[in-house]
């Protein structure tokens, strides 16, 4: 009987620990979402409507996302912003160097057929990183 309760307590402890601790694969999913929404290196040749094509391909048109930036740099350079390639900036990280980007802005209402205006330039990246040093969120409000 005692062994049964010890085994049950251990099982309950393991289930509780699994439920409370964020699994490592969840961090990977957040990074993969970041890459899906923001990474495009080398820049895709999507024709005249780069933004319309990319936003649709990347699943950001139902509903229409208001604004999104694609970063045209290798993954390693973007990840470096979470470390030595970036500096602390309002609780986030700002890149030390400017990156080539294309920012896509919604031209019409966020329903129906999404229509975007694209603007290619170079800018500093402002991102949120997880504790392990992986990019999780691109901050569109800090345009530099």
């Amino acid at each position: 009987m005692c062994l049964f309760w010890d085994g049950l307590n251990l099982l309950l402890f393991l289930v509780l620990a699994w439920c409370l601790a964020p699994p490592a694969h969840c961090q990977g999913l957040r990074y993969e979402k970041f890459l899906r929404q923001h990474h495009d290196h080398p820049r895709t040749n999507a024709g005249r409507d780069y933004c319309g094509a990319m936003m649709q391909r990347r699943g950001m048109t139902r509903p229409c996302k208001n604004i999104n930036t694609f970063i045209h740099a290798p993954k390693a350079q973007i990840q470096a912003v979470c470390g030595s390639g970036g500096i602390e900036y309002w609780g986030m990280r700002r890149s030390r160097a400017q990156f080539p980007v294309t920012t896509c802005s919604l031209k019409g209402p966020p329903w129906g057929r999404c229509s975007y205006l694209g603007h290619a330039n170079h800018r500093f990246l402002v991102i949120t990183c997880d504790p392990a040093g992986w990019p999780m969120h691109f901050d569109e409000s800090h345009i530099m």
Side-chain angles (χ1 to χ4, degrees):
M1 182 77 155
C2 187
L3 286 176
F4 171 76
W5 284 108
D6 287 344
L8 185 60
N9 286 337
L10 177 61
L11 180 63
L12 289 173
F13 172 76
L14 291 174
V15 168
L16 182 63
W18 181 79
C19 290
L20 294 177
H25 72 273
C26 287
Q27 297 300 328
L29 291 176
R30 293 175 84 174
Y31 176 60
E32 289 300 318
K33 180 180 178 183
F34 174 89
L35 291 177
R36 178 179 54 81
Q37 290 186 342
H38 301 293
H39 181 251
D40 184 37
H41 178 75
R43 187 178 193 274
T44 300
N45 183 2
R48 292 181 49 208
D49 187 15
Y50 173 83
C51 286
M54 291 302 293
M55 295 295 282
Q56 186 168 2
R57 286 182 194 174
R58 302 292 179 94
M60 293 181 277
T61 57
R62 300 224 190 273
C64 304
K65 189 173 179 182
N66 286 332
I67 188 166
N68 190 72
T69 299
F70 291 102
I71 308 164
H72 309 299
K75 294 175 191 177
Q77 289 180 10
I78 299 168
Q79 185 186 357
V81 175
C82 293
S84 62
I87 59 173
E88 192 68 28
Y89 182 80
W90 296 96
M92 296 173 281
R93 303 288 294 175
R94 184 185 68 89
S95 61
R96 292 181 184 273
Q98 291 189 348
F99 283 72
V101 300
T102 300
T103 300
C104 302
S105 302
L106 186 63
K107 289 195 293 190
W111 58 85
R113 183 165 163 24
C114 306
S115 180
Y116 291 94
L117 179 64
H119 180 70
N121 65 350
H122 285 73
R123 65 182 267 199
F124 292 100
L125 306 182
V126 178
I127 60 176
T128 303
C129 303
D130 72 8
W134 295 97
M136 296 186 319
H137 174 74
F138 183 90
D139 192 310
E140 299 282 358
S141 65
H142 290 91
I143 297 175
M144 308 178 142

